[in-house]
mmCIF file with all atom_site columns, all heavy atoms in Angstrom:
data_model
loop_
_atom_site.group_PDB
_atom_site.id
_atom_site.type_symbol
_atom_site.label_atom_id
_atom_site.label_alt_id
_atom_site.label_comp_id
_atom_site.label_asym_id
_atom_site.label_entity_id
_atom_site.label_seq_id
_atom_site.pdbx_PDB_ins_code
_atom_site.Cartn_x
_atom_site.Cartn_y
_atom_site.Cartn_z
_atom_site.occupancy
_atom_site.B_iso_or_equiv
_atom_site.pdbx_formal_charge
_atom_site.auth_seq_id
_atom_site.auth_comp_id
_atom_site.auth_asym_id
_atom_site.auth_atom_id
_atom_site.pdbx_PDB_model_num
ATOM 1   N N   . VAL B 1 12  ? 27.797 -139.813 -83.676 1.00 0.00 ? 12  VAL B N   1
ATOM 2   C CA  . VAL B 1 12  ? 28.353 -138.540 -83.169 1.00 0.00 ? 12  VAL B CA  1
ATOM 3   C C   . VAL B 1 12  ? 29.868 -138.483 -83.433 1.00 0.00 ? 12  VAL B C   1
ATOM 4   O O   . VAL B 1 12  ? 30.347 -137.471 -83.840 1.00 0.00 ? 12  VAL B O   1
ATOM 5   C CB  . VAL B 1 12  ? 27.983 -138.318 -81.670 1.00 0.00 ? 12  VAL B CB  1
ATOM 6   C CG1 . VAL B 1 12  ? 28.638 -137.052 -81.128 1.00 0.00 ? 12  VAL B CG1 1
ATOM 7   C CG2 . VAL B 1 12  ? 26.444 -138.255 -81.434 1.00 0.00 ? 12  VAL B CG2 1
ATOM 8   N N   . SER B 1 20  ? 35.317 -131.391 -87.425 1.00 0.00 ? 20  SER B N   1
ATOM 9   C CA  . SER B 1 20  ? 36.463 -130.791 -86.894 1.00 0.00 ? 20  SER B CA  1
ATOM 10  C C   . SER B 1 20  ? 37.662 -130.944 -87.963 1.00 0.00 ? 20  SER B C   1
ATOM 11  O O   . SER B 1 20  ? 38.538 -130.021 -87.929 1.00 0.00 ? 20  SER B O   1
ATOM 12  C CB  . SER B 1 20  ? 36.916 -131.491 -85.569 1.00 0.00 ? 20  SER B CB  1
ATOM 13  O OG  . SER B 1 20  ? 37.625 -132.669 -85.817 1.00 0.00 ? 20  SER B OG  1
ATOM 14  N N   . TYR B 1 46  ? 47.659 -124.919 -92.858 1.00 0.00 ? 46  TYR B N   1
ATOM 15  C CA  . TYR B 1 46  ? 47.482 -125.328 -94.318 1.00 0.00 ? 46  TYR B CA  1
ATOM 16  C C   . TYR B 1 46  ? 47.067 -124.077 -95.082 1.00 0.00 ? 46  TYR B C   1
ATOM 17  O O   . TYR B 1 46  ? 46.091 -123.436 -94.772 1.00 0.00 ? 46  TYR B O   1
ATOM 18  C CB  . TYR B 1 46  ? 46.364 -126.359 -94.431 1.00 0.00 ? 46  TYR B CB  1
ATOM 19  C CG  . TYR B 1 46  ? 46.635 -127.517 -93.421 1.00 0.00 ? 46  TYR B CG  1
ATOM 20  C CD1 . TYR B 1 46  ? 45.858 -127.708 -92.291 1.00 0.00 ? 46  TYR B CD1 1
ATOM 21  C CD2 . TYR B 1 46  ? 47.711 -128.413 -93.682 1.00 0.00 ? 46  TYR B CD2 1
ATOM 22  C CE1 . TYR B 1 46  ? 46.070 -128.718 -91.426 1.00 0.00 ? 46  TYR B CE1 1
ATOM 23  C CE2 . TYR B 1 46  ? 47.962 -129.428 -92.754 1.00 0.00 ? 46  TYR B CE2 1
ATOM 24  C CZ  . TYR B 1 46  ? 47.167 -129.568 -91.664 1.00 0.00 ? 46  TYR B CZ  1
ATOM 25  O OH  . TYR B 1 46  ? 47.418 -130.575 -90.792 1.00 0.00 ? 46  TYR B OH  1
ATOM 26  N N   . ASP B 1 61  ? 41.564 -140.928 -92.553 1.00 0.00 ? 61  ASP B N   1
ATOM 27  C CA  . ASP B 1 61  ? 42.420 -142.196 -92.481 1.00 0.00 ? 61  ASP B CA  1
ATOM 28  C C   . ASP B 1 61  ? 42.710 -142.464 -91.001 1.00 0.00 ? 61  ASP B C   1
ATOM 29  O O   . ASP B 1 61  ? 42.727 -143.577 -90.638 1.00 0.00 ? 61  ASP B O   1
ATOM 30  C CB  . ASP B 1 61  ? 43.710 -141.929 -93.230 1.00 0.00 ? 61  ASP B CB  1
ATOM 31  C CG  . ASP B 1 61  ? 43.537 -141.966 -94.750 1.00 0.00 ? 61  ASP B CG  1
ATOM 32  O OD1 . ASP B 1 61  ? 42.520 -142.598 -95.117 1.00 0.00 ? 61  ASP B OD1 1
ATOM 33  O OD2 . ASP B 1 61  ? 44.345 -141.471 -95.477 1.00 0.00 ? 61  ASP B OD2 1
ATOM 34  N N   . VAL B 1 70  ? 42.044 -151.074 -82.951 1.00 0.00 ? 70  VAL B N   1
ATOM 35  C CA  . VAL B 1 70  ? 41.471 -151.588 -81.694 1.00 0.00 ? 70  VAL B CA  1
ATOM 36  C C   . VAL B 1 70  ? 40.742 -152.937 -81.951 1.00 0.00 ? 70  VAL B C   1
ATOM 37  O O   . VAL B 1 70  ? 40.502 -153.612 -81.006 1.00 0.00 ? 70  VAL B O   1
ATOM 38  C CB  . VAL B 1 70  ? 40.591 -150.583 -80.966 1.00 0.00 ? 70  VAL B CB  1
ATOM 39  C CG1 . VAL B 1 70  ? 41.391 -149.423 -80.543 1.00 0.00 ? 70  VAL B CG1 1
ATOM 40  C CG2 . VAL B 1 70  ? 39.416 -150.247 -81.794 1.00 0.00 ? 70  VAL B CG2 1
ATOM 41  N N   . PHE B 1 73  ? 44.789 -157.389 -83.610 1.00 0.00 ? 73  PHE B N   1
ATOM 42  C CA  . PHE B 1 73  ? 45.574 -158.146 -82.707 1.00 0.00 ? 73  PHE B CA  1
ATOM 43  C C   . PHE B 1 73  ? 46.440 -157.200 -81.828 1.00 0.00 ? 73  PHE B C   1
ATOM 44  O O   . PHE B 1 73  ? 46.098 -156.916 -80.717 1.00 0.00 ? 73  PHE B O   1
ATOM 45  C CB  . PHE B 1 73  ? 46.426 -159.180 -83.479 1.00 0.00 ? 73  PHE B CB  1
ATOM 46  C CG  . PHE B 1 73  ? 47.103 -160.187 -82.555 1.00 0.00 ? 73  PHE B CG  1
ATOM 47  C CD1 . PHE B 1 73  ? 46.418 -161.037 -81.810 1.00 0.00 ? 73  PHE B CD1 1
ATOM 48  C CD2 . PHE B 1 73  ? 48.489 -160.247 -82.593 1.00 0.00 ? 73  PHE B CD2 1
ATOM 49  C CE1 . PHE B 1 73  ? 47.033 -161.958 -80.947 1.00 0.00 ? 73  PHE B CE1 1
ATOM 50  C CE2 . PHE B 1 73  ? 49.135 -161.240 -81.805 1.00 0.00 ? 73  PHE B CE2 1
ATOM 51  C CZ  . PHE B 1 73  ? 48.449 -162.044 -81.012 1.00 0.00 ? 73  PHE B CZ  1
ATOM 52  N N   . VAL B 1 79  ? 50.565 -142.102 -80.887 1.00 0.00 ? 79  VAL B N   1
ATOM 53  C CA  . VAL B 1 79  ? 51.139 -140.979 -80.093 1.00 0.00 ? 79  VAL B CA  1
ATOM 54  C C   . VAL B 1 79  ? 52.325 -141.465 -79.272 1.00 0.00 ? 79  VAL B C   1
ATOM 55  O O   . VAL B 1 79  ? 53.423 -140.902 -79.368 1.00 0.00 ? 79  VAL B O   1
ATOM 56  C CB  . VAL B 1 79  ? 50.095 -140.346 -79.167 1.00 0.00 ? 79  VAL B CB  1
ATOM 57  C CG1 . VAL B 1 79  ? 50.748 -139.170 -78.415 1.00 0.00 ? 79  VAL B CG1 1
ATOM 58  C CG2 . VAL B 1 79  ? 48.863 -139.824 -80.018 1.00 0.00 ? 79  VAL B CG2 1
ATOM 59  N N   . ALA B 1 178 ? 18.762 -160.404 -69.779 1.00 0.00 ? 178 ALA B N   1
ATOM 60  C CA  . ALA B 1 178 ? 19.467 -160.429 -68.436 1.00 0.00 ? 178 ALA B CA  1
ATOM 61  C C   . ALA B 1 178 ? 18.447 -160.641 -67.342 1.00 0.00 ? 178 ALA B C   1
ATOM 62  O O   . ALA B 1 178 ? 17.345 -160.034 -67.309 1.00 0.00 ? 178 ALA B O   1
ATOM 63  C CB  . ALA B 1 178 ? 20.197 -159.193 -68.178 1.00 0.00 ? 178 ALA B CB  1
ATOM 64  N N   . SER B 1 191 ? 30.976 -150.965 -60.410 1.00 0.00 ? 191 SER B N   1
ATOM 65  C CA  . SER B 1 191 ? 31.540 -149.919 -59.455 1.00 0.00 ? 191 SER B CA  1
ATOM 66  C C   . SER B 1 191 ? 32.657 -150.684 -58.752 1.00 0.00 ? 191 SER B C   1
ATOM 67  O O   . SER B 1 191 ? 32.405 -151.752 -58.173 1.00 0.00 ? 191 SER B O   1
ATOM 68  C CB  . SER B 1 191 ? 30.478 -149.374 -58.588 1.00 0.00 ? 191 SER B CB  1
ATOM 69  O OG  . SER B 1 191 ? 29.717 -150.391 -58.008 1.00 0.00 ? 191 SER B OG  1
ATOM 70  N N   . THR B 1 213 ? 49.773 -142.763 -50.292 1.00 0.00 ? 213 THR B N   1
ATOM 71  C CA  . THR B 1 213 ? 48.611 -143.542 -49.719 1.00 0.00 ? 213 THR B CA  1
ATOM 72  C C   . THR B 1 213 ? 47.451 -142.721 -49.117 1.00 0.00 ? 213 THR B C   1
ATOM 73  O O   . THR B 1 213 ? 46.534 -143.293 -48.628 1.00 0.00 ? 213 THR B O   1
ATOM 74  C CB  . THR B 1 213 ? 49.213 -144.505 -48.642 1.00 0.00 ? 213 THR B CB  1
ATOM 75  O OG1 . THR B 1 213 ? 49.900 -143.690 -47.701 1.00 0.00 ? 213 THR B OG1 1
ATOM 76  C CG2 . THR B 1 213 ? 50.111 -145.507 -49.242 1.00 0.00 ? 213 THR B CG2 1
ATOM 77  N N   . GLY B 1 224 ? 32.382 -147.175 -51.484 1.00 0.00 ? 224 GLY B N   1
ATOM 78  C CA  . GLY B 1 224 ? 31.265 -147.642 -50.719 1.00 0.00 ? 224 GLY B CA  1
ATOM 79  C C   . GLY B 1 224 ? 29.947 -146.897 -51.121 1.00 0.00 ? 224 GLY B C   1
ATOM 80  O O   . GLY B 1 224 ? 28.923 -147.536 -51.352 1.00 0.00 ? 224 GLY B O   1
ATOM 81  N N   . GLY B 1 226 ? 29.431 -145.421 -54.051 1.00 0.00 ? 226 GLY B N   1
ATOM 82  C CA  . GLY B 1 226 ? 29.011 -145.858 -55.309 1.00 0.00 ? 226 GLY B CA  1
ATOM 83  C C   . GLY B 1 226 ? 28.344 -147.205 -55.349 1.00 0.00 ? 226 GLY B C   1
ATOM 84  O O   . GLY B 1 226 ? 27.368 -147.410 -56.038 1.00 0.00 ? 226 GLY B O   1
ATOM 85  N N   . ARG B 1 239 ? 12.171 -153.065 -61.002 1.00 0.00 ? 239 ARG B N   1
ATOM 86  C CA  . ARG B 1 239 ? 10.724 -153.111 -61.027 1.00 0.00 ? 239 ARG B CA  1
ATOM 87  C C   . ARG B 1 239 ? 10.082 -152.708 -62.313 1.00 0.00 ? 239 ARG B C   1
ATOM 88  O O   . ARG B 1 239 ? 8.906  -152.876 -62.579 1.00 0.00 ? 239 ARG B O   1
ATOM 89  C CB  . ARG B 1 239 ? 10.152 -152.246 -59.870 1.00 0.00 ? 239 ARG B CB  1
ATOM 90  C CG  . ARG B 1 239 ? 10.480 -152.772 -58.537 1.00 0.00 ? 239 ARG B CG  1
ATOM 91  C CD  . ARG B 1 239 ? 9.976  -151.914 -57.420 1.00 0.00 ? 239 ARG B CD  1
ATOM 92  N NE  . ARG B 1 239 ? 10.637 -152.266 -56.177 1.00 0.00 ? 239 ARG B NE  1
ATOM 93  C CZ  . ARG B 1 239 ? 10.313 -151.604 -55.017 1.00 0.00 ? 239 ARG B CZ  1
ATOM 94  N NH1 . ARG B 1 239 ? 9.522  -150.572 -55.054 1.00 0.00 ? 239 ARG B NH1 1
ATOM 95  N NH2 . ARG B 1 239 ? 10.962 -151.957 -53.974 1.00 0.00 ? 239 ARG B NH2 1
ATOM 96  N N   . ASP B 1 243 ? 11.256 -159.696 -64.306 1.00 0.00 ? 243 ASP B N   1
ATOM 97  C CA  . ASP B 1 243 ? 12.421 -160.570 -64.206 1.00 0.00 ? 243 ASP B CA  1
ATOM 98  C C   . ASP B 1 243 ? 12.213 -161.693 -65.214 1.00 0.00 ? 243 ASP B C   1
ATOM 99  O O   . ASP B 1 243 ? 11.087 -162.041 -65.513 1.00 0.00 ? 243 ASP B O   1
ATOM 100 C CB  . ASP B 1 243 ? 12.512 -161.157 -62.759 1.00 0.00 ? 243 ASP B CB  1
ATOM 101 C CG  . ASP B 1 243 ? 13.929 -161.753 -62.517 1.00 0.00 ? 243 ASP B CG  1
ATOM 102 O OD1 . ASP B 1 243 ? 14.762 -161.679 -63.469 1.00 0.00 ? 243 ASP B OD1 1
ATOM 103 O OD2 . ASP B 1 243 ? 14.163 -162.162 -61.402 1.00 0.00 ? 243 ASP B OD2 1
#
Side-chain angles (χ1 to χ4, degrees):
Chain B
V12 174
S20 84
Y46 309 107
D61 285 340
V70 296
F73 190 60
V79 180
S191 45
T213 53
R239 295 181 193 176
D243 196 358

